[in-house]
Amino acid sequence: MPELNPIVVEAGIGETGPPQQGVNLSVRQWLRTNLFSNWFNAILTLLGVFAALLMLRGVLNFTFSENREWDAVRTNLRALMTLSYPESQYVRVWVAVGFVMALAGMSAGIWANWGGVSVKRMSTWLMGSGGLFALCVLLREPSVILDSEGKVLRTVEGSLQRESVWAAMTDRLGWWIAAVVLITLGAAIWAWCSEPDRRNNSVAVTTVVFSGLGLLVLSLWLVPYGHYAFADGTYIAVPGRTVAFSTKMPWTVMWLLLFGLYFVGRSFRDTRWQGIVRGSSNFLWLISPMALFWVVLRDPALDYAHVLSTDLPMGLAFGVLGGVLLWALTRSDLGEAGRLTAVGLLGFAVFNWVAAFFGLYPMLQKARISFLLVALAALLAPNFIGEVAKRRQLILGWLSAMALVHYMATMMNTPSTVDIQSSEFLGGLGLTLFVAVIVVLLSFPLGVLLALGRTSKFPIFRMLSTSYIEIIRGVPLISVLIFFSVMVPLFLPDGMELAELAAVLTGYTLFSAAYLAENVRGGLQSVTKGQYEAADALGLTAAQRTGFIVLPQGLRVSIPQLVGQVISTFKETSLLAIIGLFDFLRVANSVIPAQSEFMGVKREGILLVAMIYFFFNFTISKYSQRLERRVGLGER
Amino acid sequence: MRKKTMWRLLATLFAITLAASACGGSDSSSDDSTASDAGTAEETEVTLAASGGSLLETIIDRGTLNCGVSGSAVAFSELQADGSMAGFDADYCRVVAAAILGDANKVNFVSLTAAERFTAVQTGDVDLLMRNTTWTQSRDSSVGMDFGPTTYYDGQQLMGRASDGFSGSSQVSDVGGSVICTSAGTTTEKNIADAASEAGVSIELQTFEDFDTVTNNFISGACDIITTDGSGLVGRKAKQQPDGENWVIFPATPISKEPLGPTYGQNDSAFADAVNWAVYATIIADEKGVNSSNVDDMLANGDTETIRLLGGEGELQTEMGLSSDAFYQVIKQVGNYDEIYSRSLNPVGLSREGSANAAWTDGGLVYAPPAR
């Protein structure tokens, strides 16, 4: 952990941005100081480079070998992304992706101050990638190595017998040209901005990202990646054409959404709408995973008679009566009666849940949840006693929470119209991302609560949290998942059932929360006692002290561990395969090799899966580094 | 003042309680699953013990058949690139759905691992298994399953290279000293060990996680011989044999018997009859030359048994609790045994001719009792 290293900390003082000490050295000086400072280092460097090149060559030979069946991956791309989602309703998937793109663009516009990348740095990237390209072209073995008399010396796995080294290199002319173009371009830009007055030229990160993505999307229209698509249930493959219209059109729209909403977001910046837009985009980020999954992708078939006769009146009753109750509870002349009522309500809510398990007291699940929420809101109510505006805040919050809960519950409870002959309507990357996002979102608040509980002064909270965390941490994730998918359904009362996915989400969230709690606790413990005392001296309540003083500092310190937790949560979703869900990896590992057309072809798919996992995790990791810099972690 | 407030609060509380329980009382059973996801929300879970009735009625009420398949068994049940389930077993799920529900597409395929398949039937997660499940005495008795007519006669065989001196007439006694590979945790492992010790030869047995890995090791030369069910070996040979190599499958008489067919919970005759006769219908149709393209013609001009089977005189079907045209729908929508077989198994190199899966009239074992 760099923030604990005193040397790094010292070097970081007084500097903004990344450490600059390497910039003034020439390439030769840099090599000498960093890689060849003494003979031992030189040997290590050479060995390391040799090993790296050897590995790179292995990967290249594997990837471009002629008996790789990349067709298996191409044909199954859609299966890898969404598995069984029906073609006729595929527009729903695009709507979901588009919504996320639009939201991302909006947030980037309204929130982010990404800063710039210096042009000189970009030129080194260009040259570097050109060099890497050239290296790859050079490294990859020719399919067959011939000796001077044209006799075959050695064949590389599964190749056509045609190439000498020279023939191989000329064969790859296109790649050579690409490498040369990249290097020349980079060198030209480097030379251009070496002039003193252009040295500090930079381009905004957003420009770089958007134009990079734009180029990718443009390449879909121009470069002959090959035309692979399903049309009316049959699969059509035409290599040598640009990708299918049903691929390039949606991605163009996605890019336009991202790009367009960025400007919309930016136009709201520093206006009086800024606060509202920021608030609502945060809110949308929070609810969009569930709403997209259960409403957009599932397309519930609402039974309007039932909605009007039961769901709507019930939601209204809870909203209105709960609102009236909360209004009464926030009166300033209420005294202890408010607390008593809240505790009474909590008891009633808990009783409902307990009763449900013995089948004693039939009631809609929604009502149970609502009663619990009423009780929690009532417990919170004393914080809102005071002027009318404050009380109105609570009531509005309550009404919107009720609207959201009842809407989502109704939607989840309604059967899907998505016509699918499988037990889960979504699989592949879609399922992996959904599970990862939901688990991270849900386990975060739970984890923070557990961490607070474990550091609490009250023995009962401390003991409960500690035992929860220790029990969960003492059990491997796989057994938690199996427990929730196999055992828990047996414990449920008659008539109550838990779908596989819901069971898994519950189990995984509970598991992840325990680990998250320990990460957060580490952060909380780094907050010095002086901070607590200062907060007490200011007369803050315990809740205010936690919310305004302790948590912000504690969470800031735990960013690296929290990000580590997010990444491992994302990767461990691959364990879902064991309890029968078709996650991304399982599609590559056991669905594709079982197709009679691609029997036994699994390495190609797994390579792709590994690359996509890496892309996501590297992005998360990079973003967290930015976040750390922004909150000044490690510079204090 | 304070007392008054208290009363008002309690009154509100009471009103909420009333409102909620009023809404809750009416339809608590049908709507009681907020936590449950998507497709299953509607599903009423019925186990035999609980309902007392037959699964047949439950399926007709529900409108879909929950069919347990492997999902990763080449040519038997494979998930296609567009997410649909294809293969021999998958088609037999469709046969049952067409017979019971009149629509071959009303199947909800549930992919099960070998370990969870029987539990899934016992808990009612699936109505039946079409999952490469071998009919054995212990499964029929102590595991609590019942088995329908065998749809595919399989048997464990070995595969080696002709360059190592193996041929189609090799026997287990010829494999002494070889490295034999198979997938771990299956009965194939035990079968080959038993067969080798019976033949009095010593072998080195290696096991791997799945059969893809086994085959890759065979291709790379780490294994001399691989062994699994014959259907699997034929498929591997057809698809993965490199140019210039000749893989041979032996012995001609498999070292084990693996009859595969529909599997369901025991003591439910009505459902068992429906499943069994749906399967028999495909076999009889094959015997009578009725297929999906000429079924309309045969319904009008076929012999008496054909017409009876296809619902011309529908009492036999209606007495079973099916609609009179149940088997007509089976043949029309899915096809007869030969069509189902050729659709999935011919592409991987399995042919009926000369195998146990030929019709009884051609010297095979595929035989159905008469429809009368």
Side-chain angles (χ1 to χ4, degrees):
Chain A
M1 278 180 289
E3 68 269 28
L4 297 182
N5 185 334
I7 299 166
V8 174
V9 171
E10 243 165 61
I13 286 176
E15 283 181 3
T16 51
Q20 304 281 316
Q21 61 268 51
V23 164
N24 298 326
L25 299 174
S26 75
V27 177
R28 209 167 133 194
Q29 283 168 321
W30 185 87
L31 282 178
R32 182 163 293 164
T33 46
N34 286 295
L35 296 176
F36 296 96
S37 53
N38 56 39
W39 63 269
F40 181 67
N41 256 356
I43 290 177
L44 278 185
T45 302
L46 288 176
L47 278 179
V49 167
F50 182 70
L53 289 182
L54 212 60
M55 260 196 283
L56 182 61
R57 189 166 83 148
V59 172
L60 288 169
N61 284 345
F62 173 84
T63 311
F64 292 99
S65 163
E66 264 133 16
N67 65 355
R68 285 285 79 75
E69 288 191 46
W70 288 105
D71 262 355
V73 175
R74 272 195 214 110
T75 311
N76 282 291
L77 261 186
R78 213 179 75 183
L80 281 164
M81 296 302 138
T82 51
L83 200 61
S84 306
Y85 205 80
E87 189 198 338
S88 55
Q89 311 211 35
Y90 216 68
V91 66
R92 295 183 174 279
V93 174
W94 287 115
V95 168
V97 177
F99 185 81
V100 173
M101 286 287 174
L103 203 51
M106 187 79 162
S107 308
I110 192 82
W111 282 102
N113 181 15
W114 298 95
V117 198
S118 86
V119 178
K120 201 158 179 178
R121 194 139 165 235
M122 286 200 299
S123 74
T124 56
W125 290 348
L126 278 176
M127 286 193 284
S129 52
L132 192 66
F133 238 69
L135 189 68
C136 290
V137 179
L138 205 61
L139 265 181
R140 197 199 134 199
E141 278 181 82
S143 309
V144 169
I145 298 173
L146 304 171
D147 65 5
S148 50
E149 292 156 16
K151 221 173 72 183
V152 176
L153 283 180
R154 189 155 63 87
T155 57
V156 179
E157 186 197 7
S159 53
L160 300 178
Q161 301 203 357
R162 59 181 156 82
E163 289 182 325
S164 67
V165 177
W166 175 247
M169 290 304 142
T170 49
D171 218 36
R172 299 171 196 167
L173 194 64
W175 297 91
W176 278 118
I177 292 174
V180 169
V181 166
L182 280 174
I183 294 177
T184 329
L185 200 65
I189 296 175
W190 173 277
W192 180 79
C193 63
S194 293
E195 314 234 344
D197 56 329
R198 294 184 190 136
R199 192 158 281 168
N200 291 325
N201 278 8
S202 68
V203 184
V205 171
T206 38
T207 313
V208 176
V209 172
F210 288 140
S211 42
L213 291 177
L215 279 178
L216 272 180
V217 169
L218 191 67
S219 79
L220 291 180
W221 292 87
L222 299 177
V223 182
Y225 292 118
H227 183 283
Y228 300 91
F230 288 93
D232 303 324
T234 49
Y235 182 70
I236 298 167
V238 191
R241 266 175 62 187
T242 55
V243 295
F245 187 74
S246 57
T247 308
K248 55 192 175 192
M249 191 59 213
W251 281 116
T252 312
V253 174
M254 297 301 120
W255 183 79
L256 287 174
L257 277 174
L258 184 70
F259 195 57
L261 268 289
Y262 170 73
F263 284 106
V264 173
R266 224 171 62 165
S267 69
F268 280 117
R269 220 186 233 181
D270 300 326
T271 64
R272 65 201 176 93
W273 302 104
Q274 174 167 288
I276 297 176
V277 177
R278 285 188 172 179
S280 44
S281 78
N282 273 352
F283 178 70
L284 285 177
W285 276 119
L286 276 180
I287 62 156
S288 63
M290 301 196 201
L292 292 180
F293 188 80
W294 271 294
V295 181
V296 176
L297 288 180
R298 267 190 72 230
D299 185 26
L302 284 179
D303 171 6
Y304 286 99
H306 188 266
V307 168
L308 287 178
S309 69
T310 311
D311 300 322
L312 200 62
M314 193 173 147
L316 280 177
F318 270 107
V320 171
L321 296 177
V324 171
L325 178 76
L326 289 175
W327 187 255
L329 281 174
T330 45
R331 289 171 60 122
S332 49
D333 58 352
L334 197 61
E336 283 308 303
R339 258 178 234 279
L340 272 178
T341 318
V343 171
L345 269 171
L346 189 65
F348 179 64
V350 171
F351 163 75
N352 278 334
W353 286 95
V354 176
F357 275 83
F358 298 101
L360 286 177
Y361 190 13
M363 177 190 276
L364 285 177
Q365 210 74 284
K366 254 186 288 189
R368 289 201 191 96
I369 294 173
S370 304
F371 271 118
L372 194 62
L373 288 176
V374 170
L376 292 179
L379 282 175
L380 276 178
N383 289 330
F384 292 86
I385 293 177
E387 64 265 41
V388 176
K390 225 172 161 186
R391 293 169 75 187
R392 202 187 289 147
Q393 226 179 359
L394 178 69
I395 303 298
L396 284 178
W398 167 253
L399 288 179
S400 47
M402 270 300 104
L404 188 68
V405 165
H406 280 259
Y407 177 71
M408 282 310 295
T410 308
M411 286 308 199
M412 287 181 188
N413 240 343
T414 310
S416 167
T417 58
V418 175
D419 178 29
I420 204 154
Q421 296 190 355
S422 171
S423 39
E424 295 296 341
F425 75 97
L426 194 63
L429 185 62
L431 182 75
T432 299
L433 285 178
F434 170 73
V435 171
V437 169
I438 292 284
V439 168
V440 167
L441 275 185
L442 295 184
S443 64
F444 186 75
L446 189 58
V448 170
L449 280 182
L450 281 169
L452 288 174
R454 198 169 180 176
T455 51
S456 159
K457 273 186 302 192
F458 298 100
I460 178 72
F461 288 145
R462 210 166 52 227
M463 270 154 54
L464 282 176
S465 307
T466 308
S467 45
Y468 173 84
I469 291 171
E470 293 306 333
I471 287 171
I472 294 277
R473 286 208 309 169
V475 180
L477 174 59
I478 190 72
S479 51
V480 173
L481 291 182
I482 291 176
F483 180 80
F484 270 86
S485 100
V486 178
M487 300 293 287
V488 168
L490 299 177
F491 302 151
L492 292 178
D494 273 351
M496 195 198 272
E497 44 176 284
L498 200 58
E500 190 84 355
L501 188 60
V504 166
L505 285 177
T506 318
Y508 201 176
T509 302
L510 294 179
F511 180 84
S512 174
Y515 277 83
L516 218 131
E518 286 300 272
N519 293 339
V520 172
R521 187 169 69 99
L524 292 183
Q525 285 178 343
S526 78
V527 179
T528 54
K529 210 175 171 196
Q531 298 285 328
Y532 287 83
E533 284 164 357
D536 289 340
L538 283 172
L540 300 184
T541 63
Q544 286 168 331
R545 187 184 62 203
T546 312
F548 297 129
I549 309 291
V550 180
L551 266 185
Q553 299 186 64
L555 287 180
R556 198 185 73 147
V557 174
S558 11
I559 287 176
Q561 292 93 314
L562 292 180
V563 172
Q565 174 73 23
V566 170
I567 288 178
S568 73
T569 303
F570 179 54
K571 287 188 297 186
E572 280 163 19
T573 49
S574 52
L575 289 176
L576 299 184
I578 293 178
I579 48 160
L581 291 176
F582 283 92
D583 81 306
F584 191 34
L585 181 63
R586 184 170 177 198
V587 175
N589 191 38
S590 63
V591 171
I592 298 177
Q595 295 171 346
S596 36
E597 199 183 348
F598 305 113
M599 193 189 283
V601 179
K602 75 163 54 159
R603 286 177 285 191
E604 290 81 352
I606 289 178
L607 189 65
L608 178 82
V609 166
M611 276 162 56
I612 291 179
Y613 269 122
F614 177 77
F615 167 77
F616 276 101
N617 289 326
F618 189 67
T619 312
I620 296 173
S621 170
K622 273 291 173 200
Y623 180 75
S624 86
Q625 284 173 16
R626 277 198 100 83
L627 194 65
E628 282 170 35
R629 271 210 295 281
R630 210 170 68 193
V631 299
L633 198 66
E635 288 176 14
R636 228 168 33 125
Chain B
M1 183 65 205
R2 175 160 302 175
K3 208 169 180 186
K4 211 172 153 192
T5 320
M6 190 86 173
W7 275 117
R8 232 182 275 161
L9 278 177
L10 285 178
T12 323
L13 202 65
F14 184 64
I16 293 183
T17 320
L18 264 188
S21 22
C23 320
S26 58
D27 57 353
S28 57
S29 61
S30 72
D31 203 359
D32 205 356
S33 52
T34 308
S36 90
D37 163 61
T40 52
E42 249 199 340
E43 220 166 83
T44 32
E45 188 188 320
V46 174
T47 52
L48 279 180
S51 69
S54 169
L55 208 47
L56 189 60
E57 293 148 32
T58 315
I59 294 167
I60 292 170
D61 286 346
R62 191 200 297 141
T64 54
L65 174 79
N66 293 330
C67 194
V69 292
S70 153
S72 48
V74 181
F76 284 88
S77 55
E78 42 183 71
L79 259 169
Q80 296 299 101
D82 62 352
S84 60
M85 193 69 79
F88 185 82
D89 286 347
D91 277 350
Y92 266 103
C93 289
R94 296 196 173 95
V95 163
V96 175
I100 297 180
L101 300 164
D103 185 348
N105 290 318
K106 293 275 170 63
V107 188
N108 175 29
F109 288 104
V110 182
S111 301
L112 297 169
T113 64
E116 62 191 8
R117 55 188 161 178
F118 298 125
T119 327
V121 175
Q122 281 152 355
T123 57
D125 282 347
V126 297
D127 304 322
L128 83 161
L129 294 176
M130 287 282 184
R131 203 211 160 275
N132 281 8
T133 305
T134 305
W135 186 353
T136 65
Q137 187 185 358
S138 63
R139 283 172 183 170
D140 210 344
S141 51
S142 57
V143 180
M145 292 289 129
D146 271 354
F147 288 82
T150 299
T151 52
Y152 188 88
Y153 293 94
D154 213 340
Q156 188 178 342
Q157 288 175 302
L158 289 75
M159 181 157 75
R161 290 184 178 81
S163 55
D164 291 343
F166 295 112
S167 70
S169 57
S170 300
Q171 292 300 322
V172 179
S173 51
D174 302 331
V175 302
S178 306
V179 179
I180 299 185
C181 302
T182 190
S183 36
T186 58
T187 46
T188 52
E189 199 180 328
K190 190 171 170 293
N191 289 343
I192 184 64
D194 290 351
S197 71
E198 232 164 78
V201 292
S202 74
I203 55 168
E204 187 188 329
L205 193 60
Q206 286 186 8
T207 55
F208 297 94
E209 184 213 336
D210 54 33
F211 208 73
D212 291 319
T213 322
V214 174
T215 316
N216 284 334
N217 278 292
F218 181 59
I219 293 170
S220 72
C223 306
D224 301 326
I225 287 174
I226 55 178
T227 177
T228 189
D229 287 355
S231 59
L233 292 177
V234 172
R236 296 284 164 178
K237 177 173 151 62
K239 294 285 177 179
Q240 289 186 277
Q241 175 177 279
D243 297 335
E245 272 193 36
N246 186 14
W247 294 356
V248 289
I249 297 171
F250 62 91
T253 308
I255 61 172
S256 75
K257 289 188 289 185
E258 312 285 346
L260 309 173
T263 312
Y264 31 77
Q266 65 188 5
N267 304 332
D268 186 353
S269 293
F271 180 61
D273 288 346
V275 174
N276 296 359
W277 277 92
V279 174
Y280 287 139
T282 64
I283 296 173
I284 297 171
D286 176 31
E287 200 179 304
K288 301 278 183 192
V290 184
N291 57 39
S292 54
S293 48
N294 70 3
V295 61
D296 288 304
D297 183 40
M298 293 302 250
L299 180 59
N301 307 321
D303 63 18
T304 20
E305 189 182 354
T306 310
I307 293 173
R308 205 158 40 224
L309 184 75
L310 296 179
E313 327 162 10
E315 302 86 48
L316 287 178
Q317 279 79 264
T318 46
E319 275 165 23
M320 292 172 66
L322 302 176
S323 68
S324 59
D325 68 342
F327 300 143
Y328 166 83
Q329 298 297 348
V330 169
I331 308 300
K332 180 81 184 165
Q333 298 181 29
V334 195
N336 67 25
Y337 183 86
D338 193 62
E339 284 177 280
I340 295 171
Y341 189 101
S342 336
R343 193 182 305 146
S344 305
L345 301 181
N346 283 357
V348 294
L350 291 165
S351 86
R352 284 184 78 187
E353 222 168 291
S355 76
N357 297 300
W360 63 284
T361 46
D362 299 334
L365 296 173
V366 176
Y367 179 90
R372 61 168 186 257

